[in-house]
Amino acid sequence: MKTFSGRTNATTNALDWVEESEEYDYHQEIARSCYADMLHDKDRNVKYYQGIRAAVRRVKARGEKVVVLDIGTGTGLLSMMAVTAGADYCYALEVFKPMAEAASTIVKKNGFKDKIKIINKHSTEVTVGPGGDMQTKANVLITELFDTELIGEGALPSYEHAHIHLVQKGCEAVPHRATVYAQLVQSEKLWSWAQLQPIEVSATHKLVPPPDVEGCAGAPSVCDVQLSQVSPGSFTPLGPLCTMFIVDFSQPVSSESKSYSRSFQIMTSGRAQVVLSWWDIEMDPEGTIICTLAPSWTYSDPKDYPWRDHWMQSVYFLPAERRVSEGEELSLTVTHDDYSLWYNLSNRRESKWLRPSCSCQAHLVWTRPRFGELNDRDRNESYMCALRSVLKPGAVCLSVSDGSLLPMFIHMLGAQKVIFLEANSLNGAVKMLGIRPEELSPDDLGGDQVSLLIGEPFFSSSLLPWHSIFFWYCRTSLARVLQPNVTILPRSATLQMVGVEFQDLWRIRAPCGSCEGFDVEAMDVMKSLDFRESREAEPHPLWEYPCRALTQARSVMTFDFQQCVPAKPISSQGSVPLTRTGCCHGAVLWMEYRLTDDITVSMGLTGEVTEEGVCEWYPYRKQAVYFFKSPADCSGDGGATLSYDLTFDPSTGDINMDFEVVSP
């Protein structure tokens, strides 16, 4: 069977389907998965091991043989813990075939093949009894089916089925229970990621969201973030941290939709906008072994916070903001279905709230970070200043970007004719053309030629920073309808680079070796296979992942939008000194756009790097990270350098890259 994967084509702004090799599943789904992050999660692994030992002891104390069911075994780690703790036999289920094969290799290498049976099936397909997948029902149930939202990976239906068909009544469960917490807050920063806000364009013009956008309940899906990187100073708690609901995994579990309400008094007057949420799991019935997802600012010493990326924290946006007063009695309600949660706020307890849905379409088109970007005042002011400086009387303006407000800005600034290739409109003053750039003709422009071509640029299909140079390809396709002296904004783009030491993100690509005494080197072998993506950068929102710059930021490639896309590749080689002490984990790349001679906007670093190397990153776009296979320790004396070799292929829009730390 052939395997195809989608890859963004920067030349067409389309998703191309590429045929992969037979090993693709191993390469893409395992090497780029969060399994390494889980294996490096010391807190998680220790707590699971403690809980498993305790569960095995309780079953043995009853005089029973210990038969374990491990649903979603992954590497087989938890099953090996169970056998080491004294379990007599373990059935380990893993639906993903490449991972099941990896688990078999790891189990065999650690000497457990006679005690652990790897079953490559979904738990709902497993049979029990003579000749079945399991000879008997299990009396210990071990699972790790959780995501940031707790239930998003189908934990509830899986537990429901397991208790009916796969485990004995009164079985021990690890974890034993889960508790979901939530807190109502006011946060202008977070709320800007949910609703479009009015924008001052000029002294006489304000861009106000249409009523259907302003009154829309928005998208119901969770926004999962590293909440530890959201400063407590950027939100105001309006109520206490509430225990919303508890799930006891040792008892039959229902996947039916259900609501839970918690009443409390408002602590501070303000605007209720956002619910912050996380959960913890207790590995034993007594609740003495707890693994919590509480953010670092809840710890008396934030250094004790166990970083992890496979589980984060949740941000939920209320359907509408609501003014609340100190002392007011309100009820926060959470409702869940099989796979998701949503929140609402009311004056009384509600038996159930219907799942909110977007009615304005904007929340289906714009992502949460895109809302934040469109609401960013400093960014908008940079674009408006640039537009004012280039706008001339009688200008024929064409805008090329997805979901952009620039056409509205320039119309309000006085442009007489504005055309854009987008599905929006503004009282007929801005003309939308639902065609691709290469299809645009002078007839579509009423016989005019474009005197001002603008773009942010932003395209919803872009994954890596340089995918947005689709704007350059559009500019090239539009050459026949542009005036000879056309003004183009932005004028150019530069690809920027800096060598960094990550505080924690390095763990997702670090070798595992052993985990809690078990040899999991097979995972490292799989991750190190020479597959295509291992030689490419990957997108990460670095505002969530602190790092230190070990080099100065360097402009490594320029794209001149004043000219058409060249036929020949663009190459760039060079090196930059490593001037700070640390471990260089990789290179970060991002785009900077030169709007005018004196206005530049950065999609990466947003300010000067501190003397210690601390970086602040643009929070609305993902930066590209090229991880080194072998991180390099640096003395910081400038003797070692970070060398780079980049080639932009105009036929594909891809950038081939190679980096190396060169010692003196």
Side-chain angles (χ1 to χ4, degrees):
M1 183 178 68
K2 293 183 178 180
T3 302
F4 295 85
S5 65
R7 293 174 62 80
T8 298
N9 186 329
T11 70
T12 62
N13 193 34
L15 191 67
D16 290 347
W17 291 97
V18 180
E19 183 178 349
E20 301 289 353
S21 66
E22 294 180 357
E23 294 83 11
Y24 173 77
D25 280 344
Y26 288 92
H27 296 173
Q28 181 70 5
E29 304 300 336
I30 296 180
R32 304 301 289 275
S33 71
C34 62
Y35 285 112
D37 178 32
M38 289 188 284
L39 292 173
H40 283 295
D41 188 345
K42 181 73 173 178
D43 179 71
R44 163 195 178 270
N45 298 334
V46 167
K47 301 291 177 56
Y48 259 100
Y49 210 168
Q50 291 173 345
I52 289 169
R53 288 193 188 102
V56 170
R57 284 196 300 268
R58 290 193 298 272
V59 174
K60 284 186 172 294
R62 300 198 292 262
E64 302 174 18
K65 283 190 173 183
V66 180
V67 180
V68 174
L69 173 63
D70 177 7
I71 302 180
T73 193
T75 61
L77 176 66
L78 303 185
S79 292
M80 293 189 294
M81 288 179 176
V83 173
T84 303
D88 295 283
Y89 201 76
C90 183
Y91 296 100
L93 314 185
E94 177 54 55
V95 68
F96 182 45
K97 184 177 180 180
M99 198 66 241
E101 292 174 353
S104 295
T105 299
I106 293 170
V107 165
K108 181 178 180 180
K109 188 171 185 179
N110 284 273
F112 295 112
K113 68 174 184 177
D114 294 331
K115 287 291 189 79
I116 299 174
K117 180 181 180 181
I118 305 295
I119 302 173
N120 179 209
K121 287 185 177 181
H122 192 280
S123 61
T124 57
E125 300 172 342
V126 170
T127 57
V128 180
D133 299 307
M134 300 171 58
Q135 292 301 302
T136 183
K137 288 186 176 183
N139 51 16
V140 175
L141 174 59
I142 301 173
T143 65
E144 209 281 50
L145 300 172
F146 314 118
D147 67 349
T148 293
E149 207 172 12
L150 183 68
I151 65 173
E153 293 185 1
L156 295 181
S158 295
Y159 272 108
E160 183 176 45
H161 176 271
H163 274 287
I164 295 172
H165 300 285
L166 304 179
V167 298
Q168 301 173 20
K169 184 177 180 181
C171 73
E172 300 290 341
V174 182
H176 184 81
R177 70 176 67 88
T179 305
V180 174
Y181 303 93
Q183 185 169 37
L184 181 69
V185 304
Q186 173 182 320
S187 174
E188 298 302 327
K189 177 179 180 178
L190 293 174
W191 186 244
S192 72
W193 288 46
Q195 297 290 347
L196 189 62
Q197 299 168 1
I199 301 170
E200 296 282 351
V201 178
S202 67
T204 57
H205 290 87
K206 177 186 286 189
L207 181 60
V208 179
D212 61 332
V213 174
E214 203 168 26
C216 180
S221 57
V222 63
C223 180
D224 53 340
V225 301
Q226 290 284 357
L227 206 52
S228 296
Q229 300 308 312
V230 177
S231 167
S234 65
F235 62 87
T236 302
L238 301 178
L241 182 65
C242 299
T243 298
M244 297 306 300
F245 65 93
I246 298 172
V247 182
D248 186 341
F249 297 124
S250 69
Q251 300 296 322
V253 172
S254 172
S255 63
E256 290 186 2
S257 297
K258 193 171 183 180
S259 293
Y260 305 86
S261 294
R262 295 293 179 264
S263 297
F264 58 89
Q265 285 191 339
I266 293 296
M267 302 186 303
T268 305
S269 297
R271 296 194 304 279
Q273 300 166 323
V274 176
V275 175
L276 308 181
S277 178
W278 57 86
W279 50 261
D280 63 33
I281 45 178
E282 297 173 20
M283 301 297 184
D284 61 329
E286 298 77 23
T288 60
I289 309 169
I290 302 175
C291 182
T292 180
L293 269 60
S296 62
W297 34 260
T298 65
Y299 285 68
S300 55
D301 185 353
K303 293 181 180 179
D304 293 334
Y305 171 71
W307 185 88
R308 49 176 68 95
D309 202 44
H310 59 102
W311 295 329
M312 293 186 276
Q313 294 81 33
S314 301
V315 175
Y316 298 90
F317 301 98
L318 294 179
E321 69 175 350
R322 170 178 177 164
R323 290 197 172 275
V324 295
S325 301
E326 182 178 350
E328 185 178 357
E329 186 83 17
L330 290 176
S331 181
L332 183 65
T333 299
V334 61
T335 304
H336 73 75
D337 55 18
D338 286 10
Y339 293 91
S340 60
L341 310 175
W342 58 92
Y343 285 82
N344 219 311
L345 188 67
S346 66
N347 295 91
R348 64 187 191 283
R349 289 177 176 265
E350 298 287 346
S351 58
K352 184 175 292 188
W353 285 94
L354 295 177
R355 183 184 179 90
S357 61
C358 173
S359 58
C360 72
Q361 306 303 309
H363 298 87
L364 305 179
V365 175
W366 292 335
T367 64
R368 296 274 168 57
R370 182 59 172 164
F371 269 97
E373 186 171 47
L374 294 174
N375 286 322
D376 187 277
R377 293 184 180 90
D378 292 338
R379 171 188 176 277
N380 288 337
E381 186 56 35
S382 293
Y383 278 97
M384 286 187 282
C385 284
L387 291 173
R388 291 187 192 103
S389 71
V390 300
L391 181 60
K392 298 176 182 178
V396 177
C397 177
L398 175 63
S399 173
V400 180
S401 275
D402 286 351
S404 179
L405 301 181
L406 295 193
M408 284 57 133
F409 289 171
I410 200 162
H411 167 69
M412 291 182 170
L413 292 173
Q416 296 302 306
K417 190 169 188 177
V418 183
I419 306 100
F420 66 110
L421 308 180
E422 256 280 316
N424 294 297
S425 62
L426 184 67
N427 299 325
V430 177
K431 184 179 180 181
M432 179 275 292
L433 297 176
I435 58 178
R436 293 185 60 80
E438 63 270 18
E439 299 170 340
L440 190 66
S441 70
D443 291 340
D444 296 314
L445 305 175
D448 293 325
Q449 283 193 309
V450 174
S451 61
L452 177 58
L453 176 64
I454 63 174
E456 301 184 34
F458 171 84
F459 301 101
S460 56
S461 64
S462 297
L463 297 177
L464 293 165
W466 47 90
H467 289 163
S468 60
I469 60 173
F470 175 61
F471 178 80
W472 200 12
Y473 289 89
C474 292
R475 177 259 182 270
T476 303
S477 298
L478 294 165
R480 66 189 180 282
V481 298
L482 303 180
Q483 292 183 7
N485 61 343
V486 63
T487 298
I488 299 177
L489 184 155
R491 297 170 61 94
S492 63
T494 58
L495 182 64
Q496 303 284 324
M497 179 209 73
V498 66
V500 300
E501 175 186 56
F502 284 108
Q503 179 175 304
D504 296 297
L505 189 63
W506 61 270
R507 302 173 193 273
I508 69 173
R509 296 291 167 258
C512 304
S514 65
C515 180
E516 299 307 311
F518 301 101
D519 186 345
V520 292
E521 190 178 1
M523 286 295 294
D524 299 333
V525 173
M526 298 177 75
K527 290 196 300 170
S528 66
L529 289 173
D530 188 25
F531 67 109
R532 184 189 63 237
E533 284 81 3
S534 69
R535 302 186 300 275
E536 294 182 352
E538 55 191 75
H540 290 282
L542 292 189
W543 73 270
E544 297 185 60
Y545 305 106
C547 63
R548 292 176 55 244
L550 301 183
T551 71
Q552 296 296 316
R554 171 72 61 89
S555 174
V556 294
M557 189 171 285
T558 299
F559 309 95
D560 185 0
F561 298 157
Q562 302 296 109
Q563 307 297 322
C564 292
V565 176
K568 295 182 178 180
I570 301 174
S571 296
S572 175
Q573 297 85 28
S575 61
V576 57
L578 288 149
T579 55
R580 295 186 179 89
T581 303
C583 181
C584 192
H585 294 117
V588 175
L589 302 104
W590 69 96
M591 299 293 276
E592 284 190 1
Y593 297 106
R594 184 184 177 197
L595 304 184
T596 64
D597 287 340
D598 55 356
I599 301 177
T600 300
V601 293
S602 172
M603 304 294 109
L605 287 176
T606 57
E608 294 293 327
V609 175
T610 68
E611 187 175 340
E612 295 78 19
V614 177
C615 306
E616 289 189 14
W617 297 98
Y618 188 68
Y620 312 119
R621 305 265 184 115
K622 292 181 179 180
Q623 293 74 40
V625 179
Y626 186 102
F627 286 101
F628 298 158
K629 289 184 178 179
S630 299
D633 291 322
C634 310
S635 63
D637 59 7
T641 60
L642 174 57
S643 68
Y644 56 88
D645 185 352
L646 309 174
T647 301
F648 167 70
D649 183 351
S651 67
T652 64
D654 287 337
I655 298 180
N656 298 317
M657 58 187 65
D658 191 25
F659 297 90
E660 183 181 6
V661 174
V662 180
S663 300

